[in-house]
Amino acid sequence: MTAPATATAPTPTTTPATTPEPAPERTTTGPQRIAVIGAGPGGLYFAALAKQLAPEREITVYERDAREHEFGFGVVFSDETLDGIAQADPQVFAAISAEFARWSDIDIRFAGQVRTSGGHGFAALDRNRLRAVLQQRCAELAVDVRYRTPAPPVDRLAAEYDLVVAADGIHSGTRAAHPDAFRTESDERHCRYIWLATDRVFEAFTFIVEEFDFGALQVHAYPYSATRSTFIVEIAEDAWRRAGFEALAAREFGRGESDTASVRRCAELLAGHLDGHRLIPNASRWIRFTTVRNARWRHRNIVLLGDAAHSAHFSIGSGTKLALEDALALAAALSEQPTLDAALAAYEDERRPVVESTQRAAQASLEWFETVGRRTGQGIDQFAFNLLTRSRRVTYGSLRARDPEFTAAVETAVGGSPGVPPMFRPLKLGALELRNRIVVPPLATFTSPDALPSAFDRAQLTAHALGGAGLVVAGMTAVSPEGRATDRCPGLWNDHQEAAWKELLDAVRAVSDTPVGIQLTHAGRRGATAAPGPDGIGRPLASGWPLLAPSPLPWGPGSATPHEANHVQLESVAADFAAAAERATRAGFDVLELQFGHGHLLSSFLSPLTNHRTDHYGGPLAHRLLFPLEVLAAVRAVWPAGRPLLVRISAADWAPGGTTETAAVAICQALAEAGADAVDVSTGEVVAHQRPPYGRGYQTPFAELIRASTGLPTIAVGAISGHDDANSVLLAGRADLVAIGRAQLHDPFWTLHAAADQDYTGPGAHWPGPWLAGRRKPPGPGADRVAPRLHLLREPAPPVHRRWLPTTPPKE
């Protein structure tokens, strides 16, 4: 990438008749005296930009280390960030771009094999070289950078300067001085990692996952010069201990000292990937990554920048990249806004959404590497695809566009056909053949005041059956009057309801052969509410019905207190489920799902937060499982063996002391042994004080965990709304089916429209005969426009695979 050329106006051929007015005098805006704590790249870049925008400013940078002190290795930039640097300071951009290592490939080394995905695009640079360029730029602009000078206390600086910029790192003393103002959350993670370099120059971004008897060791490596690569070694805590690193790292290390014994051990273990080259430490020792989040980034005239404000795991990008972007946004806001307070607010408002988006992706990536052992049973091709799509930023669609050969190889390796989107592969579930992997989950309509399926239920199920999904499930259907969640939910406890459901199914089958299932539930302590309002919350009914639960605990504030179910009542509930399953069989449903999640009765038995019983149905998990398994056994005994029996669970409660991942696996293993054909893996809604990390696909890792740990087919649910995400989940092997809920409410023909978007016309997308003309996406505005040729010579398309192959490196 080169700096943009400056447009030059044509020279006039005649002298203007009038003399142009003189340019107005430049007015000074924003703070005039600025203190910056920390001379890392972020602090220096901000100082240079702020001085460049207003040369009259007095800017002082305090740095406790020497100017020549070197710390860290390479940093990686995105094209987006580089574009910003090129526009903001072409001089800095020209200096750093001349030394970039550039490549487009990612190599994944796993199980003694290598897979390469191209078309990505990277630029990396020695962090210390970047700092030197910024030091030079600050010197040219007369920024006062004081090395070997610890910053005075931040409150003294705040009294002496108009603005204090705290670029003092992840262990920010500025934050510590005002904890109530910034309200920092520090999430220290479980893996250990050690930051190193090597004089082996890798040709691409390289991920290494190597399995040993003590566990998996993983490496994140990339070149950053003609002579060096960054080499980060990461390992889970328990494996770290078993590998002997705990003993090697047992003593205290001085500031700047490296754990050389651990470095030697890493070099021995990873010798096959170093090809005789050495590992190079720089204040390198084992640490845990800490994700830093702050409720506020500013306090009076003090503002946080870079790692002081936020951090994101190194597997998704560079903290230096985020710090430079912060610096640019802060410098711009100071010149654009009329007051300091407005400038700091604008800076935070602009940067916070960008950073939080990055942190969500980084969190997903971090957790993927923390749990890499879940995927080491996969073949190299699927493992590589899984790794590349771990953060949800890279998807099936983007990989297919960047490197179609790579994606086609993965599709072939997992038994698919290249070019056929994974969502349109068939799946056999029990004796039932599904034409594709998309499920319409139970979507309650709350339109049944008489507990019968309503006209709207019929219309919705018909639309979804025609919409192309592989399976459509009706719900929430109560097994008894007192098992209803609301006074507008349907049921299946009498002959009248059975006949109504049969009539509905007959109407659906008259126009569609899509399999239809039904979800059976007993709402337990979540019952006797009104239909949810616009806020999604159902308020307790003024005159409801008695509620049952394993323990007399209301679901939330204002909720009715349930009765603790006795053994006779529990026997009656199990019989109600079995009777409803028999009715579902006679009505003609193809699939049955039991609701064991979301805080309903059976879910309440499973969670330690809601089951406080002291009899044999309470206490340890094996006892909390007893009643749900009794219900499953009663249903399994009457539900036809060839028809799939699904169970929905909440694999996490999102509250302290709730269901753990280990418990979720044990629950699903027990369900599999008791006859469940698949698990619909949801989370939450078990307690009102839950705090789920809502986000795109946030529940999918639990489906992957259950699938990898039990071998049971899983359905991924929750905030999956695009076909690209669905395809990514399926091709990565994170789940066998994907449930699309809210997006189906937006578009009941979601699956067919996804087929049209992907130009897929095969058997996995069944268009009803009268609609066949619509299976090609209609042209939109401008679709018939053909762009003219405007270049004398077209530039060739960039190669998919570009390696970092520097010329003969200089001698060091």
Side-chain angles (χ1 to χ4, degrees):
M1 182 182 297
T2 57
T6 303
T8 305
T11 304
T13 56
T14 59
T15 303
T18 58
T19 303
E21 294 182 7
E25 290 187 9
R26 188 179 186 282
T27 57
T28 299
T29 60
Q32 294 306 291
R33 300 189 71 243
I34 301 175
V36 180
I37 306 174
L44 291 173
Y45 189 48
F46 165 77
L49 291 177
K51 187 74 170 177
Q52 177 181 292
L53 288 171
E56 68 279 3
R57 284 176 174 147
E58 176 189 327
I59 301 178
T60 306
V61 181
Y62 293 91
E63 173 55 54
R64 65 179 179 174
D65 289 321
R67 176 188 177 94
E68 63 276 8
H69 175 77
E70 293 192 351
F71 178 75
F73 303 107
V75 293
V76 182
F77 296 99
S78 66
D79 288 342
E80 187 177 54
T81 303
L82 293 177
D83 286 344
I85 296 173
Q87 294 289 335
D89 195 327
Q91 189 169 328
V92 167
F93 178 78
I96 63 176
S97 63
E99 300 186 37
F100 280 146
R102 289 187 177 275
W103 69 96
S104 68
D105 279 356
I106 298 176
D107 289 346
I108 296 96
R109 299 181 172 212
F110 171 66
Q113 301 177 75
V114 181
R115 292 295 183 270
T116 299
S117 172
H120 299 277
F122 296 97
L125 181 70
D126 186 331
R127 182 183 184 275
N128 296 298
R129 180 60 191 142
L130 171 63
R131 199 164 59 95
V133 168
L134 295 172
Q135 287 171 340
Q136 178 62 33
R137 185 63 173 144
C138 284
E140 293 167 356
L141 294 167
V143 174
D144 181 8
V145 184
R146 301 179 183 180
Y147 291 97
R148 299 183 186 274
T149 308
V154 66
D155 287 337
R156 187 196 307 172
L157 288 176
E160 296 175 359
Y161 289 85
D162 300 326
L163 172 65
V164 179
V165 178
D168 50 350
I170 201 164
H171 302 295
S172 170
T174 303
R175 289 197 322 258
H178 292 283
D180 293 337
F182 298 113
R183 301 199 304 278
T184 304
E185 290 185 6
S186 296
D187 179 16
E188 187 178 65
R189 301 305 299 185
H190 315 302
C191 282
R192 301 273 186 158
Y193 72 97
I194 186 167
W195 203 295
L196 304 164
T198 176
D199 53 5
R200 175 175 183 181
V201 181
F202 287 94
E203 296 180 4
F205 211 122
T206 303
F207 292 101
I208 301 168
V209 177
E210 190 80 48
E211 291 191 277
F212 297 92
D213 55 358
F214 54 77
L217 196 65
Q218 55 221 29
V219 174
H220 313 249
Y222 55 87
Y224 65 84
S225 74
T227 60
R228 296 281 174 89
S229 299
T230 295
F231 198 88
I232 306 169
V233 182
E234 187 178 27
I235 185 172
E237 178 82 12
D238 54 350
W240 179 77
R241 290 195 176 96
R242 290 193 296 267
F245 287 116
E246 182 179 31
L248 298 177
R251 69 179 182 84
E252 289 290 327
F253 294 94
R255 187 166 183 265
E257 185 183 4
S258 294
D259 179 356
T260 54
S262 288
V263 175
R264 286 194 297 271
R265 173 79 166 137
C266 287
E268 293 168 1
L269 292 168
L270 296 163
H273 301 282
L274 291 170
D275 285 352
H277 291 79
R278 61 196 173 107
L279 291 180
I280 303 165
N282 182 346
S284 304
R285 74 280 302 271
W286 293 106
I287 54 178
R288 296 185 183 94
F289 186 82
T290 300
T291 300
V292 170
R293 299 178 179 89
N294 288 284
R296 286 174 57 87
W297 295 2
R298 63 192 193 278
H299 173 56
R300 298 198 296 264
N301 65 334
I302 303 168
V303 66
L304 306 177
L305 184 148
D307 281 352
H310 47 71
S311 63
H313 194 250
F314 51 81
S315 63
I316 202 64
S318 163
T320 300
K321 165 192 175 297
L322 291 176
L324 296 186
E325 292 172 355
D326 283 356
L328 191 154
L330 179 58
L334 293 176
S335 291
E336 292 170 350
Q337 300 299 324
T339 66
L340 177 61
D341 189 61
L344 299 187
Y347 156 69
E348 184 169 349
D349 288 346
E350 179 181 334
R351 287 296 297 158
R352 183 179 285 278
V354 176
V355 167
E356 289 179 347
S357 173
T358 301
Q359 287 185 318
R360 284 192 294 272
Q363 186 74 12
S365 179
L366 174 158
E367 292 174 0
W368 193 96
F369 282 108
E370 283 184 340
T371 59
V372 70
R374 296 177 188 173
R375 301 150 193 108
T376 52
Q378 294 184 323
I380 174 64
D381 297 279
Q382 190 172 48
F383 180 88
F385 180 88
N386 202 327
L387 185 152
L388 291 172
T389 58
R390 68 196 181 280
S391 72
R392 307 179 195 122
R393 283 193 165 182
V394 176
T395 63
Y396 169 80
S398 61
L399 283 176
R400 195 176 181 186
R402 295 175 191 183
D403 189 348
E405 290 185 3
F406 171 82
T407 310
V410 179
E411 290 170 330
T412 300
V414 300
S417 300
V420 174
M423 62 181 284
F424 292 115
R425 292 177 57 205
L427 176 71
K428 192 168 186 181
L429 198 60
L432 183 65
E433 184 84 21
L434 303 181
R435 65 168 60 97
N436 63 52
R437 305 297 183 100
I438 301 302
V439 176
V440 180
L443 298 170
T445 65
F446 305 108
T447 57
S448 302
D450 54 2
L452 293 171
S454 66
F456 197 92
D457 286 319
R458 176 179 296 196
Q460 176 170 285
L461 286 172
T462 302
H464 287 147
L466 289 169
L471 172 65
V472 177
V473 183
M476 297 177 300
T477 308
V479 298
S480 63
E482 61 277 9
R484 289 172 294 162
T486 77
D487 58 353
R488 299 178 68 84
C489 287
L492 189 50
W493 64 77
N494 62 37
D495 293 344
H496 193 23
Q497 292 162 340
E498 179 184 326
W501 280 114
K502 185 178 189 309
E503 182 185 355
L504 184 153
L505 281 179
D506 289 343
V508 171
R509 294 210 168 98
V511 295
S512 172
D513 63 352
T514 299
V516 179
I518 190 168
Q519 183 193 71
L520 300 180
T521 187
H522 189 299
R525 68 185 195 140
R526 295 206 63 185
T529 71
D535 59 2
I537 299 174
R539 268 69 182 183
L541 294 169
S543 55
W545 49 86
L547 302 180
L548 283 181
S551 301
L553 305 170
W555 186 79
S559 298
T561 300
H563 299 287
E564 181 172 306
N566 60 41
H567 291 196
V568 173
Q569 291 169 320
L570 294 181
E571 288 178 3
S572 177
V573 168
D576 289 340
F577 269 95
E582 289 183 294
R583 293 186 184 279
T585 303
R586 292 193 295 267
F589 284 101
D590 302 291
V591 174
L592 186 67
E593 178 172 277
L594 302 180
Q595 173 61 289
F596 281 23
H598 294 177
H600 288 221
L601 178 63
L602 299 172
S603 168
S604 297
F605 272 88
L606 294 172
S607 172
L609 296 178
T610 53
N611 184 343
H612 296 176
R613 296 175 74 100
T614 57
D615 64 1
H616 68 286
Y617 287 128
L621 178 59
H623 291 184
R624 301 198 306 272
L625 264 165
L626 285 177
F627 181 62
L629 290 178
E630 287 175 7
V631 171
L632 178 56
V635 170
R636 182 75 276 180
V638 299
W639 182 249
R643 301 188 202 182
L645 176 57
L646 316 180
V647 180
R648 171 170 280 210
I649 68 159
S650 287
D653 298 339
W654 302 121
T659 299
T660 64
E661 290 186 354
T662 300
V665 169
I667 289 168
C668 292
Q669 188 64 57
L671 296 177
E673 293 169 359
D677 293 301
V679 179
D680 192 348
V681 186
S682 187
T683 64
E685 299 187 47
V686 174
V687 291
H689 61 278
Q690 65 176 4
R691 293 188 62 190
Y694 292 116
R696 205 172 106 242
Y698 73 104
Q699 297 181 127
T700 301
F702 293 94
E704 184 176 26
L705 166 66
I706 300 304
R707 186 178 190 267
S709 302
T710 68
L712 197 61
T714 60
I715 305 173
V717 307
I720 303 172
S721 58
H723 58 74
D724 199 13
D725 284 339
N727 284 325
S728 299
V729 167
L730 294 165
L731 190 55
R734 299 183 182 117
D736 301 272
L737 294 156
V738 173
I740 306 294
R742 189 163 298 183
Q744 294 278 1
L745 298 178
H746 174 75
D747 177 9
F749 311 115
W750 183 93
T751 306
L752 294 182
H753 291 160
D757 286 345
Q758 298 172 86
D759 295 322
Y760 174 77
T761 58
H766 177 69
W767 285 80
W771 292 353
L772 281 175
R775 65 180 179 175
R776 295 290 185 185
K777 190 174 182 180
D784 58 346
R785 181 182 181 273
V786 179
R789 177 177 181 137
L790 298 175
H791 295 87
L792 180 61
L793 296 176
R794 292 190 178 95
E795 293 185 6
V800 171
H801 298 291
R802 181 178 176 182
R803 315 287 284 181
W804 173 237
L805 299 169
T807 56
T808 304
K811 294 182 179 180
E812 292 192 350

